């Protein structure tokens, strides 16, 4: 192998919105070309263009309302394959020799499952050879191949995971490009003086991703954390340093809190008069887990006459199904009414600094109370505090917490 | 393997027009399902839906006017992959268990070339196993994989070739479905009393395909001939026997002529005053072959004072390039003017019966002369006679020949 192959490669990932029009594809190709001229071996990972994935699903569901997951993957994987070919061909017009690869050509092996497969391993031989020969390698994101030779997809946001996993396998770094120029202390559309973070910890980023910060996908951050991959979130269209995600940032932090988030796509399910005996909650949440439905904030009221109220939140889209499952489960264990409340929102604070500083929670509650915002439920983890509030209070709640913890100050 | 796998499979191929709308996809799925219920193991080969391939090319050329052939194949192959997934999923709604396969998953190995790869071999193991397990296998047509693991495509009409090659490899028969219910003695849009042929020979079908009969693709017929595969051309939307293509039909024929064809997409290149010495024609046609441009009817006038006029026809789309190449070549060998004439059409008669019956050509010339149609040039093969006429005379020429050889009579 030549000298060039000694340098560790950089994996650049571009999302669907960055590729939505021919003009944008050209801008992406120019960015890739500039990066290669800086001397780094470059792998680009691309998503499907614009709304391609959704459009393919509409076409499929018109023909088959409940299609086999295997065929869904076979269909959806074409979106990223098209992007890869288009970007590689466009790079050619800029004098950059580029080769596109599908997931299977890139050696991305997954478990047998469809729609949300897990990456089992990567055989990077072909990518290494292409990089060593001076090519830019453009990989179709979001997809892999299982042991049967079937095409699998990695779930929504899976291209981030493709990029991080390739960076891990190649011993390189990863840059995730999108419309946004980094990770902010809160959504700038809601909090005017939100500040771009220059650095954030893996743990904090995972919490923020789970809370709806769409800059980086949670599973990708988790993979980066496990494999020590440095990830950077940057803007496709504006030059700038973006935000670096890496370990060990929390402990040296001045602020106990790194960022705040608002999730308005939650609903609350209330199960009344559940018998307060061992196994009740296990039965209820076991049924939901099997669905599978992700349950978030869980609040159980103090027992009264051997009965208790259990409330929990789920994603808006899962709420009708969750209510139905809960109703069946609660009836079986002899409980009372089950109801659903969509008029809620979740405001959260995230920060590895919380670990060493007690009192963050009480300061948050005081700030919300001072703004006249009622807290319906609370949940905390080592580095996160979430408060359930009325949906109309959500934006003001986020602004209040952002100010209370001086997140606008560097 | 179970009993079912003992039966030889049938390979059904559906073209893009048969899959252009969701309604048509449903009709195709229903036809496949009916066929499977008759007890045959079924492989379906599908093209890209409607104008998908052309639309993808437009998108590509907007970004890269002269894209690498490898990336063109990578892009175009997605059209057939989408069709395969959609048809397989639709079969599921009819209670038919179906599995879609890309070219590489179906084991279709090609030579290294792109855009017009040749099938080198097929490893039908996976298809056999799926058929034995009772599945319908839906294969993305038009594509394969080369030794490098790159996606290749087989050229326009390549899905016919996929279907025939799979039938050969599986020891089955092949049915090619399209908007037309078989092969006709002439284009019914031009010749009113054109008659559907119940049987045609491989050789005749190849000539007709080369002359623009779009029911079956020429390379597919050639492959079927070489591998003794029985091919049937049928309508996707109307039940009927269609046309069978098979060997040995010509010799038993009452008619010396099987069909007639008109090609209005030709142009004529005239090279004047070419020195009549050894190597002149070789130089001219060598340069064209290298382009590569297919040359059809060639006419060389009698030599006069050591010089001769050479005229030949090419496809309309190749004409400007052919003229340019001819001009350079003729200049180098010291010839005269080169000009191009698009105002021509080619009427042809095809029939294995010609072999044993002299006089077909002269009857054709008499018929055209009787209709007042001037013949610009003539070319013949063992089973074909082509006459170049003015483009406006084309349709009438076809009708005249159809009548003169009583092709409307069974």
């Amino acid at each position: 192998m030549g000298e060039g192959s000694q340098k560790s490669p950089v994996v650049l990932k571009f999302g669907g919105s960055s590729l939505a029009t021919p003009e944008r594809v050209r801008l992406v190709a120019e960015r890739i070309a500039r990066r290669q001229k800086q001397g780094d071996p470059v792998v680009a990972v691309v998503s499907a263009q614009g709304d391609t994935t959704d459009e393919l699903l509409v076409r499929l569901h018109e023909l088959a309302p409940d299609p086999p997951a295997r065929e869904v993957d076979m269909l959806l994987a074409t979106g990223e394959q098209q992007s890869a070919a288009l970007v590689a061909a466009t790079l050619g017009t800029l004098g950059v020799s580029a080769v596109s690869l599908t997931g299977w050509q890139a050696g991305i092996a997954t478990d047998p499952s469809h729609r949300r497969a897990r990456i089992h391993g990567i055989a990077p031989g072909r990518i290494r050879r292409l990089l060593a020969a001076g090519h830019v390698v453009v990989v179709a994101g979001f997809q892999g191949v299982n042991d049967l030779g079937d095409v699998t997809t990695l779930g929504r946001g899976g291209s981030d995971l493709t990029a991080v996993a390739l960076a891990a396998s190649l011993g390189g770094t990863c840059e995730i490009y999108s419309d946004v120029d980094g990770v902010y202390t809160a959504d700038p559309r809601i909090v005017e003086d939100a500040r771009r973070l220059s650095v954030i910890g893996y743990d904090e980023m995972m919490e923020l991703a789970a809370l709806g910060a769409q800059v980086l996908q949670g599973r990708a951050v988790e993979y980066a954390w496990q494999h020590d991959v440095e990830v950077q979130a940057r803007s496709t269209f504006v030059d700038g340093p973006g935000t670096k995600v890496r370990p060990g940032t929390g402990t040296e932090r001045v602020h106990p809190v790194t960022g705040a988030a608002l999730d308005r796509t939650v609903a609350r399910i209330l199960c009344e008069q559940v018998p307060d005996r061992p196994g009740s909650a296990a039965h209820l949440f076991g049924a939901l887990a099997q669905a599978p439905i992700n349950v978030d904030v869980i609040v159980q009221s103090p027992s009264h006459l051997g009965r208790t109220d259990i409330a929990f939140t789920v994603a808006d889209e899962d709420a009708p199904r969750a209510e139905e499952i809960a109703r069946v489960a609660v009836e079986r264990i002899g409980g009372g009414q089950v109801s659903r409340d969509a008029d809620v929102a979740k405001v959260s604070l995230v920060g590895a600094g919380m670990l060493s500083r007690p009192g963050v929670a009480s300061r948050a509650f005081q700030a919300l109370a001072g703004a006249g915002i009622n807290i319906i439920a609370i949940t905390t983890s080592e580095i996160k505090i979430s408060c359930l509030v009325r949906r109309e209070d959500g934006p003001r709640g986020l602004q209040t917490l952002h100010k209370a913890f001086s997140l606008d100050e560097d």
Side-chain angles (χ1 to χ4, degrees), chain A:
Chain A
M1 292 207 274
E3 266 184 82
S5 63
Q6 304 294 322
K7 272 191 100 167
S8 59
V10 57
V11 180
L12 316 178
K13 181 260 171 178
F14 298 91
S17 155
S18 295
L19 298 160
T21 65
E23 293 69 37
R24 289 184 164 207
V25 172
R26 239 173 250 125
L27 287 173
V28 162
E30 283 163 12
R31 184 166 282 284
I32 294 170
R34 279 203 304 277
R35 193 56 194 258
Q36 202 211 20
K37 287 203 181 91
Q38 287 169 20
D40 297 316
V42 176
V43 175
V45 172
V46 293
S47 300
Q49 293 186 286
D51 300 322
T52 304
T53 303
D54 290 332
E55 285 162 16
L56 287 172
L57 281 174
V58 166
R59 275 167 60 191
L60 176 61
H61 287 138
E62 187 178 349
L63 286 162
D66 187 23
R70 183 190 178 284
E71 301 304 331
V72 179
D73 282 359
M74 187 77 157
L75 181 70
L76 294 189
T78 61
E80 280 73 16
Q81 183 173 336
Q82 292 178 349
S83 282
L86 292 172
V87 168
T90 308
L91 280 164
T93 66
L94 303 175
V96 175
S97 166
V99 173
S100 69
L101 298 178
T102 62
W104 61 269
Q105 289 174 334
I108 299 173
T110 74
D111 67 11
S113 64
H114 286 284
R115 301 300 306 269
R116 211 183 144 82
R118 300 184 70 85
I119 294 179
H120 265 183
I122 295 185
R126 184 157 190 204
I127 295 183
R128 275 192 211 282
R129 284 192 299 276
L130 288 167
L131 291 177
H135 301 288
V136 165
V137 181
V138 185
V139 178
F142 175 64
Q143 58 187 269
V145 66
N146 65 23
D147 284 350
L148 295 168
D150 286 336
V151 175
T152 53
T153 66
L154 310 176
R156 286 268 159 180
S159 291
D160 284 11
L161 185 56
T162 302
V164 169
L166 283 175
S169 149
L170 295 165
T173 56
C174 181
E175 301 179 10
I176 308 281
Y177 287 83
S178 72
D179 292 356
V180 188
D181 69 339
V183 182
Y184 277 71
T185 51
D187 187 337
R189 287 167 301 186
I190 302 173
V191 179
E192 252 181 44
D193 49 7
R195 189 170 47 83
R196 186 179 51 73
L197 295 161
S198 56
V199 158
I200 188 171
Y202 289 121
D203 48 359
E204 298 169 319
M205 190 62 235
M206 275 187 68
E207 291 283 6
L208 282 177
L211 293 168
Q214 286 168 12
V215 183
L216 289 172
Q217 206 263 342
R219 284 170 71 206
V221 179
E222 185 183 359
Y223 198 102
W225 194 1
Q226 286 166 350
H227 295 80
D228 265 331
V229 178
E230 190 176 297
V231 176
Q232 209 167 345
R234 305 179 74 170
S235 160
T236 308
F237 307 111
V238 183
D239 283 322
T243 299
K244 279 196 177 152
V245 189
R246 60 186 188 200
T249 57
T251 47
E252 302 152 23
R253 205 52 78 63
V254 179
H255 290 305
V257 173
T258 303
L262 168 64
D263 186 353
R264 281 177 284 190
T265 63
V266 291
R268 178 170 169 265
I269 312 287
L270 174 63
C271 308
E272 294 178 73
Q273 298 287 315
V274 178
D276 190 12
R277 60 173 178 250
S280 284
H283 180 75
L284 171 62
F285 292 111
L288 290 161
Q290 256 189 337
I293 290 172
N294 274 330
V295 171
D296 188 19
V297 186
I298 300 176
V299 177
Q300 184 165 344
S301 67
S303 179
H304 181 66
L305 297 176
R307 297 199 168 244
T308 177
D309 294 346
I310 300 179
F312 57 90
T313 61
V314 297
D316 256 351
E317 55 183 16
D318 290 334
R321 218 153 48 91
E323 183 187 7
E324 195 46 46
I325 290 167
R327 180 164 293 133
V328 172
V330 168
E331 198 178 304
R332 260 192 80 178
I333 53 182
Q337 296 281 318
V338 171
S339 59
R340 165 159 57 107
D341 177 11
D343 180 28
V344 291
K346 191 171 67 176
V347 282
S348 305
L349 289 171
V350 170
M354 285 185 200
L355 273 169
S356 53
R357 311 211 186 188
V360 171
S362 67
R363 255 171 82 191
F365 305 153
Q366 275 170 21
L368 290 174
I373 294 171
N374 187 41
I375 301 173
I376 303 168
I378 297 165
T379 183
T380 61
S381 76
E382 278 90 346
I383 65 162
K384 184 186 75 170
I385 299 166
S386 288
C387 302
L388 213 62
V389 300
R390 287 284 140 220
R391 200 166 277 189
E392 61 176 12
D393 290 335
R396 209 158 44 86
L398 183 69
Q399 292 153 356
T400 301
L401 292 179
H402 197 267
K403 190 161 199 74
F405 286 89
S406 308
L407 291 178
D408 54 324
E409 292 165 25
D410 204 356

